[in-house]
């Protein structure tokens, strides 16, 4: 009896000691545990998504790609799959499952390493939300205590909701909705039973069972989960049998459909307005007026034009490969091209190797997948002298001198596809270009192309390249002249002039293109043919200070020096600023900012930003927050609508009769202006119809001549025409509508006066009411011949 009593005392003492130890341990481990606020105030990082106005997903921005989904919208079979795979007694246990922990511990002891986890879903929630991933017994004890507390504070459905939305499932996806999209490109309600099982098999080891990395292991894991669903009685045997035979098809991750400089403009505007953290973590829903077809057409137009210009540049010595390296090189290209390589296109280049050159200069070339025969090219090669000017080192110069100035076997070249068929030799462009297009009807950005290969360079030449606009600047000056009282028929002198700068012997003698002068010409003729000397006289008549005051009304981005060279565009602007300034000319004098981001909603669906180009919406929405939004203000009337129409009408003449004649191929009314700077460093074409305004700039990033023929008409206008033809497909042909206060009068094109007895070139000119000429063109006589008139006018200048 004494022994039994002694044993009982020991047992009681040990029990008390163990209880005290457990209490003290619980108090110790639970004294500084995290609060559960992170669960009750669950606001996880969410992916922000960009949609077109048609609802197409275009791009996503995220630190953690997560799509928060309400519990009731998660399909039952997906919940069942996760419960079968991760925690079959979830709805029975109090947060921890001692039997499962013991079973896992035994399995791990037998294996000598961790092969099975004993954590419940509640414990995983505790770890993922409130603790670190540290592997220690202390963390496991804290995790168990937290799991118990979570079970007391939240319902089972709430815990499962947190788990299914928060868990990392590989491929950059957080939560089941994100994983469904990134693995299968499906919404949750579109998943099959097999796909639900695939996702449910990932938490154990997302990297090991990722179907896009280890399809065999992923398939085995999926079928294991299906078996568990069957044994747990949450899936019928027949359904499991069918699902286990279903092929595992993983959708490729979609590249952003929002491309080139347009994508960067949207991204930067969102960062400027909301901040980077909000954009990438707060699940914004963004709507943009993106037209994928227009953007693709603009990119193709720029690339095709740049490659065409490159055909007129010097050919640079190619990389040469020794014959023993050919097999490896060709194999590399073949693998990169894939099993069914597309033929070269007119907008992309592919590498090829010259294998043979016959006596006639015909080359046999190989791109790794096909052989091509190319006739001898008449390309002019870059000289050694030019390499020296570019700073080539002596070793490079010596290597170039040792080889012929023609193609030889072993040369690496580039092939460009022709629009009809076949290929031609090309090279990586030395010239760049940019295009910016605005939908004048919607008030939105239509296309924005930052360069020939924007994805590589990342430099948005539309918004960041400061370049001289040349004659593309002149319409602003001529608009000022119209506002000051001139008309399209006002005579201006296109004659030589020299300006002394009052500093020594230096002087400025501006010249016309090809150094030709026309004498007295109507204002229209001066702009149509981009006459430099006439433009300087126009600026003198307007007054430099008056012109500078007028320029301040345009969104050009900076102030300008008081100098006559402004008449020739001798300043620097970005293509973006120049194009948006042309809006005033194209839209009856109204000033507004094109829209690239139309609407932004927060994670709860509240609209936090809405933008509509001013003239299209005075009182668009009843939302009081939006009514005071700067992006919703009416357009500002900056120019007189009559002056805006008159300059547009003159610029129609640039297309019909002047330097922009190539644009007539658009086969619809358009107004435009070419621009070419000294030595053909920059080439521009600015043009618009009533529906669309588009600008194209071409040049080198480091300003240098492109060649004597590379004018705005030849180096920029072809890309404009190519893009505008695509933009206008399916659009009605429209002409510019004159405002009230315009009258049409027949005049003599040469004299700017009313037709006389000898007038042969008569047309209808637009004038502000009561400003048309009243004098008749005189009859032609020897003393009134154009030659004598020019001489008389020139000497009357007193120069």
């Amino acid at each position: 009896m004494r022994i039994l009593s002694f044993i009982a005392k020991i047992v009681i003492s040990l029990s008390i000691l163990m209880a005290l130890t457990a209490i003290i341990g619980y108090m110790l481990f639970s004294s500084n545990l995290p609060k559960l606020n992170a669960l009750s105030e669950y606001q996880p990082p969410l992916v922000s998504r960009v949609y077109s106005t048609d609802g197409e997903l275009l791009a996503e921005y995220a630190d953690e790609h997560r799509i928060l989904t309400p519990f009731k919208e998660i399909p039952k079979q997906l919940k069942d799959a996760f419960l079968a795979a991760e925690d079959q007694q979830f709805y029975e246990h109090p947060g921890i499952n001692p039997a499962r922990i013991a079973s896992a511990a035994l399995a791990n002891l037998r294996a000598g390493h961790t092969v099975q986890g004993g954590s419940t879903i509640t414990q995983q929630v505790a770890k993922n939300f409130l603790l670190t991933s540290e592997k220690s017994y202390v963390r496991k004890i804290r995790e168990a205590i937290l799991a118990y507390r979570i079970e007391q504070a939240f319902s089972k459905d709430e815990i499962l909701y947190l788990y299914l939305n928060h868990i990392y499932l590989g491929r950059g996806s957080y939560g089941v909705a994100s994983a469904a999209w990134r693995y299968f490109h499906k919404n949750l309600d579109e998943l099959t039973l097999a796909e639900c099982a695939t996702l449910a098999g990932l938490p154990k080891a997302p990297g090991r069972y990722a179907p896009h990395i280890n399809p065999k292991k992923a398939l085995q894991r999926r079928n294991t989960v299906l078996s568990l669903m069957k044994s747990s009685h949450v899936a019928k045997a027949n359904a499991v049998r069918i699902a286990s035979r279903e092929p595992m098809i993983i959708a490729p991750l979609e590249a952003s459909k929002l491309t080139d400089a347009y994508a960067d403009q949207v991204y930067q505007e969102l960062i400027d307005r909301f901040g980077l953290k909000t954009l990438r973590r707060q699940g914004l829903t963004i709507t943009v007026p993106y037209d994928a077809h227009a953007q693709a057409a603009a990119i193709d137009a720029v690339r095709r034009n740049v490659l065409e210009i490159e055909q007129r540049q010097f050919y640079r010595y190619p990389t040469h490969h020794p014959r023993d390296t050919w097999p490896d090189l060709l194999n590399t290209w073949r693998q990169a091209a894939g099993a069914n390589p597309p033929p070269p296109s007119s907008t992309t280049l592919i590498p090829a190797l010259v294998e043979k050159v016959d006596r006639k200069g015909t080359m046999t070339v190989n791109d790794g997948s096909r052989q091509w025969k190319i006739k001898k090219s008449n390309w002019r090669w870059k000289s050694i002298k030019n390499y020296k000017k570019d700073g080539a080192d002596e070793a490079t110069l010596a290597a170039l001198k040792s080889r012929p100035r023609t193609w030889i076997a072993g040369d690496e070249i580039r092939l460009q596809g022709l629009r009809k068929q076949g290929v031609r030799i090309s090279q990586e462009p030395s010239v760049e270009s940019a295009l910016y297009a605005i939908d004048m009807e919607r008030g939105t950005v239509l296309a924005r192309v930052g360069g020939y290969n924007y994805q590589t360079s990342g430099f948005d030449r539309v918004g960041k390249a400061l370049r001289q606009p040349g004659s593309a600047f002149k319409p602003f000056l001529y608009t000022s002249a119209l506002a000051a009282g001139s008309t399209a028929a006002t005579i201006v002198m296109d004659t030589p002039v020299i300006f002394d700068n009052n500093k020594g012997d230096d002087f400025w003698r501006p010249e016309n293109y090809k150094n030709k002068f026309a004498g007295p010409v109507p204002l229209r003729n001066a702009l149509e043919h981009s006459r430099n000397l006439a433009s300087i006289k126009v600026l003198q008549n307007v007054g430099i200070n008056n012109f500078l005051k007028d320029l301040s009304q345009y969104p050009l981005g900076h102030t300008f020096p008081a100098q006559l060279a402004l008449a020739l565009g001798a300043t620097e602007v970005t293509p973006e600023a120049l194009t948006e300034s042309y809006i005033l000319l194209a839209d009856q004098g109204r000033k507004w900012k094109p829209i690239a981001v139309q609407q932004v909603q927060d994670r709860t669906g509240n609209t936090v930003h809405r933008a509509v180009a001013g003239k299209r919406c005075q009182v668009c929405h009843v939302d009081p927050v939006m009514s005071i939004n700067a992006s919703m203000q009416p357009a500002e009337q900056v120019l007189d609508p009559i002056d805006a129409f008159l300059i547009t009408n003159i610029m129609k003449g640039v297309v019909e009769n002047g330097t922009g004649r190539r644009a007539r191929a658009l086969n619809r009314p358009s107004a435009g202006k070419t621009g070419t700077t000294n030595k053909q460093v920059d080439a521009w074409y600015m043009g618009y119809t009533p529906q669309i305004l588009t600008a194209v700039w071409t040049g080198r990033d480091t300003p240098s001549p492109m060649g004597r023929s590379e004018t705005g008409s030849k180096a920029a206008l072809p890309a404009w025409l190519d893009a505008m033809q695509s933009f206008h497909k399916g659009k009605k042909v429209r002409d510019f509508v004159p405002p009230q206060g315009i009258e049409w009068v027949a005049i003599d094109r040469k004299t700017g006066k009313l037709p006389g007895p000898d007038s042969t070139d008569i047309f209808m000119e637009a004038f502000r009411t009561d400003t048309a000429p009243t004098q008749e063109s005189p009859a032609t006589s020897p003393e009134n011949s154009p030659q004598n008139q020019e001489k008389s006018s020139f000497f009357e200048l007193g120069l």
Side-chain angles (χ1 to χ4, degrees):
M1 291 296 293
R2 289 182 178 180
I3 294 176
L4 291 174
S5 176
F6 180 72
I7 293 173
K9 289 179 180 179
I10 292 176
V11 170
I12 293 171
S13 299
L14 288 174
S15 298
I16 294 171
L17 182 62
M18 290 175 64
L20 288 173
T21 302
I23 292 171
I24 293 170
Y26 178 83
M27 295 176 63
L28 179 65
F29 284 113
S30 64
S31 61
N32 60 348
L33 284 175
K35 303 294 183 183
L36 303 185
N37 294 349
L39 304 183
S40 58
E41 301 170 1
Y42 185 51
Q43 291 284 317
L46 301 180
V47 58
S48 291
R49 312 184 93 181
V50 182
Y51 295 90
S52 70
T53 50
D54 296 328
E56 182 183 12
L57 179 63
L58 301 175
E60 296 177 314
Y61 311 126
D63 289 339
E64 295 181 7
H65 191 284
R66 179 183 287 102
I67 304 167
L68 196 63
T69 307
F71 187 73
K72 64 181 180 180
E73 295 180 15
I74 301 175
K76 183 178 184 302
Q77 69 175 1
L78 182 61
K79 299 172 188 173
D80 289 340
F82 273 86
L83 292 175
E86 290 295 307
D87 193 348
Q88 295 181 17
Q89 288 79 42
F90 173 71
Y91 279 96
E92 286 76 44
H93 63 65
I96 57 173
N97 190 336
R100 185 174 178 183
I101 292 173
S103 174
L106 185 59
N108 294 338
L109 284 172
R110 288 174 178 172
H113 58 90
T114 302
V115 295
Q116 184 176 327
S119 296
T120 63
I121 282 178
T122 312
Q123 286 177 276
Q124 293 183 54
V125 168
K127 180 185 73 173
N128 293 332
F129 280 85
L130 305 172
L131 299 172
T132 67
S133 297
E134 173 194 2
K135 293 183 179 181
S136 68
Y137 289 110
V138 171
R139 198 266 293 166
K140 293 296 291 184
I141 294 171
R142 288 162 57 85
E143 179 185 291
I145 296 171
L146 278 172
Y148 178 76
R149 289 187 177 181
I150 291 170
E151 291 276 349
Q152 304 306 304
F154 298 92
S155 70
K156 288 288 187 177
D157 286 354
E158 288 172 333
I159 297 169
L160 188 56
Y161 159 79
L162 294 171
Y163 174 78
L164 293 176
N165 274 290
H166 200 78
I167 190 169
Y168 179 65
L169 295 171
R171 214 180 197 189
S173 59
Y174 291 80
V176 291
S178 172
W181 185 260
R182 292 177 72 82
Y183 283 112
F184 305 114
H185 207 67
K186 290 183 177 182
N187 297 319
L188 289 179
D189 58 1
E190 300 171 319
L191 294 175
T192 66
L193 177 61
E195 289 165 344
C196 289
T198 300
L199 298 184
L202 291 169
K204 185 175 181 181
R208 185 189 308 166
Y209 297 120
H212 64 296
I213 299 174
N214 296 311
K216 194 172 182 178
K217 288 185 177 180
L219 190 65
Q220 292 172 347
R221 178 63 180 160
R222 180 198 73 179
N223 290 341
T224 298
V225 174
L226 287 170
S227 296
L228 290 171
M229 294 182 72
K230 177 183 173 183
S231 62
S232 300
H233 306 294
V234 293
K236 294 181 179 180
N238 187 51
V240 168
R241 184 169 56 254
I242 294 172
S244 63
R245 295 172 183 171
E246 182 179 305
M248 186 177 289
I249 301 173
I250 303 303
L253 281 178
E254 284 194 331
S256 174
K257 296 177 182 177
L258 197 62
T259 61
D260 213 276
Y262 200 124
D264 276 6
Q265 180 184 2
V266 169
Y267 189 61
Q268 192 58 52
E269 282 190 22
L270 291 168
I271 290 175
D272 292 343
R273 182 171 292 276
F274 300 104
L276 182 61
K277 186 175 180 180
T278 297
L279 176 60
R280 299 187 66 85
R281 297 176 67 86
Q282 289 304 314
L284 304 179
T285 300
I286 302 141
T287 304
V288 299
Y290 185 68
D291 184 329
H293 297 294
Q295 180 70 10
I299 293 171
D300 283 354
V302 166
R303 292 178 65 86
R304 197 160 22 242
N305 185 54
V306 166
L307 292 174
E308 195 62 42
I309 295 170
E310 196 62 31
Q311 292 287 323
R312 304 190 289 267
Q313 304 299 305
F314 289 115
Y315 194 85
R316 303 181 296 279
Y317 285 88
T319 301
H320 186 77
H321 297 279
R323 189 173 293 272
D324 61 352
T325 65
W326 292 8
D328 288 342
L329 184 65
L330 294 173
N331 185 54
T332 299
W333 292 341
R334 183 164 47 251
Q335 290 181 350
N340 298 302
S345 75
S346 61
T347 61
T348 57
L349 302 180
I350 64 170
L353 184 71
V354 178
E355 294 183 315
K356 181 182 178 182
V357 183
D358 66 18
R359 292 180 180 180
K360 294 182 180 180
T362 300
M363 291 183 284
T364 301
V365 302
N366 191 330
D367 64 13
S369 303
R370 293 151 299 208
Q371 277 193 332
W372 307 85
K373 284 196 178 293
I374 302 176
K375 292 183 179 180
K376 182 180 180 180
S377 173
N378 294 322
W379 218 320
R380 295 177 300 160
W381 284 61
K382 186 174 179 179
S383 66
I384 301 296
K385 184 186 295 185
N386 284 329
Y387 275 102
K388 287 182 179 179
K389 287 182 181 179
D390 293 342
D393 57 44
E394 291 300 325
T396 300
L397 293 173
L400 296 178
K401 289 176 181 178
S402 67
R403 61 159 288 160
R405 294 180 65 187
T406 185
W407 293 276
I408 57 177
D411 281 347
E412 181 182 332
I413 62 169
R414 293 293 181 269
L415 294 180
Q416 178 193 2
L418 300 176
R419 273 185 162 180
K420 294 181 179 179
Q421 59 181 356
V423 296
R424 67 177 175 180
I425 192 169
S426 188
Q427 64 180 346
E428 294 298 329
S430 59
V431 171
E432 272 294 350
S433 188
L435 182 149
Y436 186 33
I438 298 167
D439 188 322
M440 299 297 293
E441 295 176 312
R442 299 171 65 199
T444 57
V445 176
L446 180 63
R448 187 178 177 118
V449 184
Y452 167 78
N453 192 346
Y454 185 74
Q455 301 307 116
T456 300
S457 71
F459 179 60
D460 179 13
R461 294 165 184 82
V462 172
K464 296 180 181 177
L466 280 168
R467 308 298 297 218
Q468 289 198 5
S471 296
F473 204 71
K474 289 176 181 175
F476 304 133
L477 170 61
Y478 283 68
T479 302
S480 292
L482 294 171
S486 294
T487 71
T490 298
I491 296 298
V492 60
M493 298 302 299
D494 182 49
T495 50
V497 64
I498 299 175
F499 296 96
D500 187 347
N501 69 358
N502 297 319
K503 294 181 180 179
D505 297 329
D506 291 341
F507 60 89
W508 177 45
R509 184 175 66 185
E511 298 179 349
N512 282 336
Y513 183 60
K514 295 185 177 179
N515 208 27
K516 294 181 179 180
F517 306 95
V521 294
L523 198 76
R524 166 182 286 279
N525 180 285
L527 188 60
E528 285 180 347
H529 297 281
S530 203
R531 303 188 189 281
N532 287 341
L533 276 300
S535 298
I536 291 172
K537 306 293 175 52
V538 171
L539 180 53
Q540 288 178 314
N541 293 336
V542 169
I544 185 68
N545 289 329
N546 291 331
F547 183 44
L548 291 176
K549 182 180 178 181
D550 291 343
L551 283 179
S552 67
Q553 299 297 309
Y554 296 92
L556 289 164
H558 60 90
T559 56
F560 301 94
Q563 57 185 27
L564 290 174
L566 273 180
L568 311 184
T571 184
E572 289 185 333
V573 294
T574 64
E576 179 179 53
L578 190 65
T579 309
E580 294 181 3
S581 295
Y582 263 69
I583 289 176
L584 279 67
L585 312 182
D587 193 28
Q588 300 183 4
R590 289 184 283 246
K591 179 180 178 182
W592 44 269
K593 178 75 176 175
I595 300 303
V597 177
Q598 288 175 308
Q599 180 173 280
V600 180
Q601 294 175 304
D602 64 17
R603 63 165 70 204
T604 64
N606 292 323
T607 299
V608 293
H609 170 72
R610 187 180 286 120
V612 179
K615 80 183 186 73
R616 282 145 196 83
C617 186
Q618 303 286 332
V619 183
C620 295
H621 305 280
V622 296
D623 187 335
V625 176
M626 292 301 103
S627 66
I628 60 171
N629 190 313
S631 300
M632 301 293 290
Q633 297 298 319
E636 180 183 0
Q637 189 72 50
V638 174
L639 303 179
D640 187 326
I642 293 176
D643 293 331
F645 176 79
L646 291 175
I647 192 65
T648 293
N649 192 51
I650 294 174
M651 290 168 66
K652 283 178 66 179
V654 174
V655 175
E656 294 162 2
N657 309 296
T659 57
R661 282 188 292 271
R662 291 173 187 256
R664 288 186 295 187
L666 188 59
N667 294 322
R668 61 177 64 221
S670 72
K673 185 68 190 77
T674 54
T676 310
T677 59
N678 284 344
K679 299 182 180 180
Q680 291 72 48
V681 171
D682 296 281
W684 298 77
Y685 189 74
M686 315 289 297
Y688 53 91
T689 66
Q691 295 110 319
I692 297 169
L693 163 63
T694 297
V696 175
W697 164 85
T698 304
R700 302 187 198 279
D701 283 339
T702 301
S704 59
M706 293 183 289
R708 289 184 61 83
S709 66
E710 305 305 334
T711 62
S713 175
K714 193 169 184 179
L717 201 159
W720 179 92
L721 179 61
D722 198 355
M724 288 287 272
Q725 286 174 332
S726 295
F727 296 161
H728 284 86
K729 283 182 180 177
K731 289 185 177 291
K732 292 182 178 180
V733 176
R734 290 176 48 195
D735 203 348
F736 300 96
V737 179
Q740 293 292 323
I742 293 290
E743 64 176 347
W744 298 87
V745 178
I747 67 168
D748 185 308
R749 190 183 295 275
K750 292 183 179 179
T751 66
K753 298 180 179 180
L754 299 176
D758 296 331
S759 296
T760 57
D761 192 354
I762 301 171
F763 81 110
M764 297 297 293
E765 181 65 275
F767 295 91
R768 183 186 292 270
T769 301
D770 297 328
T771 64
T774 56
Q775 292 184 335
E776 187 178 283
S777 296
T780 302
S781 61
E783 60 270 19
N784 286 327
S785 67
Q787 292 82 1
N788 284 338
Q789 282 187 344
E790 182 175 337
K791 290 179 181 178
S792 173
S793 300
F794 175 75
F795 288 111
E796 286 173 3
L797 292 175
L799 299 178

